[in-house]
């Protein structure tokens, strides 16, 4: 395990706007209190390490189902705890699931596998003004970033601001991607799996500061979990529409997304009428119901909404809402072990799907297909699934995109769907 100094966190706008009871209302500025980073080579149980770190820093996440004394007296006075930003990579999420196979190495090793940044309210100066530049989050928001210098990425001279993004280089060709889809179909035919989410990766060299472009991802339409998290020599930008897991007042919610078409009238009709897409979607909803049942009160798991269409940029996507009441004594580590990695980016059965992913994908998923979000001082949390996510290291931008594969999947169509998901992010990252 490693501890590192503060770098920066960008705003996550409109995080779970429909989630009530997000805790006290904050009006103060905040500052970073502490930071913890974990990589797979550190060993141990990252879910338990994360919970222990947050508890030691005053954020009681040992029982999310019942209010503790510390939650009931949570305040926004200067010097008091505000909350924590959390990032979990795909490998970090897999490490929280006991028995998960080890995937290929990440192409962006500078990004940690788990990050937690704890914030406290800043002390006002003598004039009554707050001295820290971090703005406190309103319910559902991450705090805004302090200025980040070019030396955070270590390779460009100070003052260089011109932005240029080079050509994208995929980690596999379209033919290799299609072959992986065919391999999954063969595994389904053998009865090894029912569905596997296959993800591709591409990277591009850049010149200049990547942070402005990564920050603009939050402005993409439908980016419920848009935001920017940075560290020493790395940054992660997110434009995700999907909820991995949210908890408020002991109620836990997952919003799996599965099924994609162009955001046209024809695309809407095709998605609603597609037996293949509906079957794929319901399979993941059942998987999420089973995940929640591991931490829920008996009989409380509900599918509140099934196969509702939501729009992300120029795509229709099908979303469901699965909820439950948490069982007594369920803490953050228990919740993450039950829900990570997300079913919609793994497949079913989850462990068998992860085995196929490890065998087929040429590189690891890095910070994509993991989680990014906020845990507030009341113990409520809201973590988005890091689809539609890009990362920067010292020299390159990295992007991942894919889709769920079933027996009825067409390899060429699946390659085209992954490209359609990546296209809006590529266009935005290339802009000055």
């Amino acid at each position: 395990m490693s501890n590192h100094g503060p770098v920066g966190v960008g705003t996550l706008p409109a995080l779970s706007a429909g989630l009530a009871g997000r805790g006290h209302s904050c009006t103060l500025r905040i500052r970073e209190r502490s930071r913890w980073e974990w990589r797979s080579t550190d060993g141990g149980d990252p879910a338990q390490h994360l919970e222990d770190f947050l508890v030691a820093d005053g954020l009681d996440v040992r029982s999310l189902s019942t209010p503790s004394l510390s939650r009931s007296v949570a305040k926004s006075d200067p010097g008091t705890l505000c909350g924590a930003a959390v990032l979990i990579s795909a490998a970090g999420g897999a490490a929280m699931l006991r028995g998960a196979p080890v995937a290929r190495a990440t192409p962006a090793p500078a990004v940690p596998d788990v990050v937690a940044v704890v914030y406290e309210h800043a002390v006002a100066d003598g004039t009554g003004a707050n001295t820290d530049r971090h703005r406190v989050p309103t319910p559902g928001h991450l705090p805004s970033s302090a200025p980040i210098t070019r030396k955070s990425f270590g390779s460009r001279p100070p003052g260089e601001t011109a932005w240029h993004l080079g050509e994208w280089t995929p980690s596999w060709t379209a033919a290799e991607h299609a072959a992986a889809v065919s391999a999954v179909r063969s595994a389904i035919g053998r009865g090894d799996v029912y569905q596997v989410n296959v993800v591709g990766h591409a990277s591009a060299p850049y010149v200049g500061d990547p942070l402005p472009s990564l920050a603009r991802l939050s402005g993409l339409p439908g980016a419920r979990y848009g935001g920017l998290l940075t560290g020493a020599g790395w940054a992660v930008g997110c434009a995700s529409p999907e909820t991995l897991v949210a908890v408020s007042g002991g109620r836990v919610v997952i919003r799996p997304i599965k099924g994609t078409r162009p955001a046209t009238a024809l695309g809407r009709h095709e998605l609603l009428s597609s037996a293949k897409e509906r079957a794929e979607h319901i399979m993941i909803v059942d998987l999420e119901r089973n995940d929640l049942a591991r931490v829920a009160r008996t009989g409380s798991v509900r599918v509140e909404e099934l196969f509702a269409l939501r729009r992300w940029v120029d795509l229709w996507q099908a979303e469901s809402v699965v909820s439950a009441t948490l069982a007594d004594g369920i803490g953050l580590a228990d919740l993450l072990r039950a829900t990570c990695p997300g079913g919609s980016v793994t497949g079913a059965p989850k462990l068998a799907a992860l085995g196929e992913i490890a065998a087929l994908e040429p590189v690891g998923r890095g910070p994509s297909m993991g989680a990014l979000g906020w845990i507030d001082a009341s113990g409520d949390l809201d973590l988005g699934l890091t689809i539609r996510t890009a990362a920067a290291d010292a020299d390159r931008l990295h992007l991942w995109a894919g889709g769920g594969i079933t027996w009825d999947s067409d390899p060429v169509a699946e390659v085209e769907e992954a490209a359609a998901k990546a296209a809006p992010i590529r266009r935005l990252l290339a802009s000055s």
Side-chain angles (χ1 to χ4, degrees):
M1 292 182 291
S2 307
N3 286 284
H4 298 273
V7 183
V9 180
T11 300
L12 276 178
L15 266 183
S16 196
L19 192 65
R22 289 283 300 171
H24 60 279
S25 174
C26 296
T27 58
L28 300 176
R29 295 176 185 267
I30 60 174
R31 62 187 173 206
E32 183 173 325
R33 172 185 289 184
S34 60
R35 175 182 290 244
W36 170 77
E37 298 181 357
W38 180 91
R39 288 174 168 81
S40 298
T41 53
D42 292 332
D45 178 359
Q48 192 60 57
H49 289 325
L50 175 60
E51 179 179 302
D52 292 344
F53 167 75
L54 294 175
V55 169
D57 227 329
L59 210 164
D60 189 357
V61 290
R62 290 170 294 193
S63 179
L64 302 175
S65 55
T66 55
S68 68
L69 179 61
S70 62
R71 293 191 189 112
S72 65
V73 297
K75 298 180 182 299
S76 56
D77 299 329
T80 58
L81 179 68
C82 180
V86 173
L87 172 70
I88 301 171
S89 76
M96 296 175 183
L97 179 65
R98 293 185 177 92
V102 178
R104 305 291 176 91
T106 172
V111 185
D113 289 310
V114 185
V115 181
V117 185
V118 177
Y119 289 88
E120 65 183 9
H121 299 104
V123 177
D125 63 20
T127 66
N130 294 296
T131 58
D132 195 277
R133 285 174 293 190
H134 291 291
R135 290 295 301 176
V136 74
T138 56
H141 291 60
L142 278 183
S144 57
S145 175
I148 308 300
T149 64
R150 181 65 254 160
K151 66 181 180 180
S152 297
F153 290 85
S155 61
R156 310 295 180 205
E160 182 179 314
T161 59
W163 172 249
H164 174 74
L165 184 64
E167 294 293 323
W168 290 94
T169 301
S171 293
W172 56 10
T173 65
E176 290 168 335
H177 187 168
V181 174
S182 297
V184 169
R185 293 183 71 250
S186 296
I188 293 171
R190 294 191 302 267
D192 298 339
V193 288
Y194 303 116
Q195 180 180 161
V196 176
N197 196 77
V198 173
V199 172
H201 162 266
S203 69
Y206 70 84
V207 175
D209 187 351
L211 298 183
S213 288
L214 287 172
R216 285 197 297 273
L217 290 178
S218 64
L220 287 174
R224 179 184 288 159
Y225 294 89
L228 176 68
L229 183 65
T230 69
W234 61 268
V236 174
C238 186
S240 174
E242 182 168 356
T243 301
L244 172 68
V245 62
V247 175
S248 179
R251 177 175 176 265
V252 57
V253 175
I254 294 177
R255 294 182 174 89
I257 289 176
K258 189 61 64 179
T260 303
R261 286 292 188 279
T264 62
L266 177 60
R268 180 183 180 88
H269 172 75
E270 289 179 349
L271 185 51
L272 288 173
S273 61
S274 172
K276 178 261 183 187
E277 298 283 11
R278 189 172 292 269
E280 177 185 340
H281 185 98
I282 291 174
M283 196 180 302
I284 296 305
V285 169
D286 284 341
L287 174 62
E288 303 289 18
R289 289 173 61 244
N290 289 333
D291 284 351
L292 281 190
R294 298 167 56 191
V295 293
R297 290 184 184 176
T298 302
S300 69
V301 178
R302 298 282 186 273
V303 178
E304 297 185 5
E305 194 171 17
L306 183 65
F307 209 78
L309 265 56
R310 308 280 190 252
R311 183 165 177 165
W312 181 84
V313 191
D314 55 0
L315 297 174
W316 289 121
Q317 300 197 292
E319 177 190 82
S320 290
V321 179
V322 186
S323 69
T325 301
L326 284 176
D328 293 343
I330 294 297
L332 178 63
D334 301 315
L335 182 67
L336 294 178
R337 293 187 196 109
T339 57
C340 289
S344 64
V345 294
T346 54
K350 190 177 284 189
L351 283 174
L354 286 169
E356 295 293 329
I357 289 166
L360 293 172
E361 294 180 4
V363 298
R365 296 177 169 190
S368 75
M369 315 301 149
L372 175 65
W374 180 260
I375 304 176
D376 66 29
S378 71
D380 290 349
L381 63 89
D382 196 1
L383 302 179
L385 191 66
T386 48
I387 59 175
R388 318 295 190 270
T389 295
D393 56 24
D395 301 297
R396 302 183 74 86
L397 291 187
H398 302 265
L399 178 61
W400 294 260
I405 310 305
T406 65
W407 174 251
D408 293 327
S409 293
D410 174 73
V412 173
E414 294 295 340
V415 173
E416 292 174 348
E417 178 180 319
K421 293 172 178 176
I425 297 177
R426 287 193 180 195
R427 288 195 298 268
L428 187 148
L429 292 175
S431 64
S432 61

